[in-house]
Amino acid sequence: MTRRGALLGGVALATGLAAAATATPATAAPVSTRRGIRDLTHPLGPAFPAFSPGEEASRRTVATIADDGYFMQEWRIVEHIGTHVDAPAHFAPGGRPATELLPAELVVPAVVVDVAARAARDPDTVVTVDDLRAFESRHGRIPDGAAVLMHSGWATRVDDPDAYRNAGPDGGLHFPGFGAEAAAWLLRYRRIRCLGVDTLSVDPGVSADFAVHQLLAGADRYGLENVADLHRIPRTGATVFVGLIPYEGGSGGQARVLATW
């Protein structure tokens, strides 16, 4: 099923909040606790991997300093490429567009759940409720209103669109994401503001129903996709600033995402 098919058809969402079975809890890599700032944004150009082939950005030069006295480019771009936000309108009929996300929703505490070791063995792995409980056992309670960010190590593939999309023989994609039970648990028990990933989608690549997108949008929350350098920020204690382009009526849009701690 395509992303557009999910938008048109809708899905039946899983409502169970029981812990997912027996995944090995992720182990966080050591990160400096000194004060810092980090850009979590990938540069966007025509080579950046698209969720669906043909959605890549394109550009052309429309003015040069030599000919016009100034330099300017024209871009063709979809809202959901590069480091970007999925606004509630992306999957929820009547959901809020990009322009209605408030500043207070775009500057939030962040935690990083590390599943990179497992993702290296299993590209279809997902963040589970067990992972979240293991995270809290080590780092403390995930704060209400936080951005919960998945570090899977997938950003190392971003310069190779085939490896980043990781399509199988049947054309299906294989990359990590959040499990629906984990997303539902975070929405219900931690009242999170957003989910973020270092992959093409908050849902795993194998998802046919985009259940995590549906859960987020249905709860009036947003997603962050194609986030960079999550291994370079603290697992807890950071604040993320999501500089969303406010496309009028936008289902989302590109964002400059910064973390400070």
Side-chain angles (χ1 to χ4, degrees), residues 42-50 55-59 73 75-77 81-83 161 254:
H42 288 293
L44 177 58
F48 195 91
E55 293 182 347
E56 294 83 3
S58 64
R59 63 183 175 183
Q73 298 179 110
W75 286 82
R76 174 206 168 272
I77 195 166
I81 193 167
T83 303
Q254 285 70 44

Side-chain angles (χ1 to χ4, degrees), residues 10-138:
V11 296
L13 298 179
T15 57
L17 296 175
T22 69
T24 302
T27 301
V31 178
S32 172
T33 56
R34 293 180 295 177
R35 294 179 63 84
I37 184 168
R38 177 66 58 173
D39 193 341
L40 304 181
T41 315
H42 288 293
L44 177 58
F48 195 91
F51 188 91
S52 300
E55 293 182 347
E56 294 83 3
S58 64
R59 63 183 175 183
R60 70 181 184 92
T61 299
V62 297
T64 66
I65 292 175
D67 293 339
D68 306 288
Y70 61 95
F71 172 60
M72 185 167 67
Q73 298 179 110
E74 177 184 83
W75 286 82
R76 174 206 168 272
I77 195 166
V78 298
E79 293 167 336
H80 298 275
I81 193 167
T83 303
H84 71 273
V85 165
D86 287 358
H90 189 35
F91 269 81
R96 286 187 299 158
T99 49
E100 293 184 14
L101 292 177
L102 303 176
E105 299 175 82
L106 300 172
V107 181
V108 292
V111 303
V112 180
V113 180
D114 189 334
V115 296
R118 199 165 72 233
R121 302 188 301 269
D122 177 13
D124 297 326
T125 197
V126 297
V127 177
T128 67
V129 176
D130 282 349
D131 290 327
L132 301 174
R133 288 176 171 154
F135 176 92
E136 292 195 331
S137 292
R138 181 168 185 176

Side-chain angles (χ1 to χ4, degrees), residues 116-210:
R118 199 165 72 233
R121 302 188 301 269
D122 177 13
D124 297 326
T125 197
V126 297
V127 177
T128 67
V129 176
D130 282 349
D131 290 327
L132 301 174
R133 288 176 171 154
F135 176 92
E136 292 195 331
S137 292
R138 181 168 185 176
H139 298 288
R141 190 183 190 278
I142 295 168
D144 288 357
V148 179
L149 309 175
M150 177 195 76
H151 168 55
S152 70
W154 217 251
T156 61
R157 301 174 174 231
V158 75
D159 292 328
D160 183 344
D162 289 339
Y164 197 64
R165 295 181 74 251
N166 200 30
D170 62 353
L173 306 184
H174 298 274
F175 54 75
F178 279 87
E181 287 186 345
W185 189 90
L186 286 165
L187 288 165
R188 180 170 181 177
Y189 295 114
R190 296 297 178 264
R191 300 179 182 180
I192 59 163
R193 178 52 55 193
C194 82
L195 294 178
V197 293
D198 56 357
T199 61
L200 283 161
S201 173
V202 292
D203 284 283
V206 296
S207 174
D209 58 12
F210 299 101

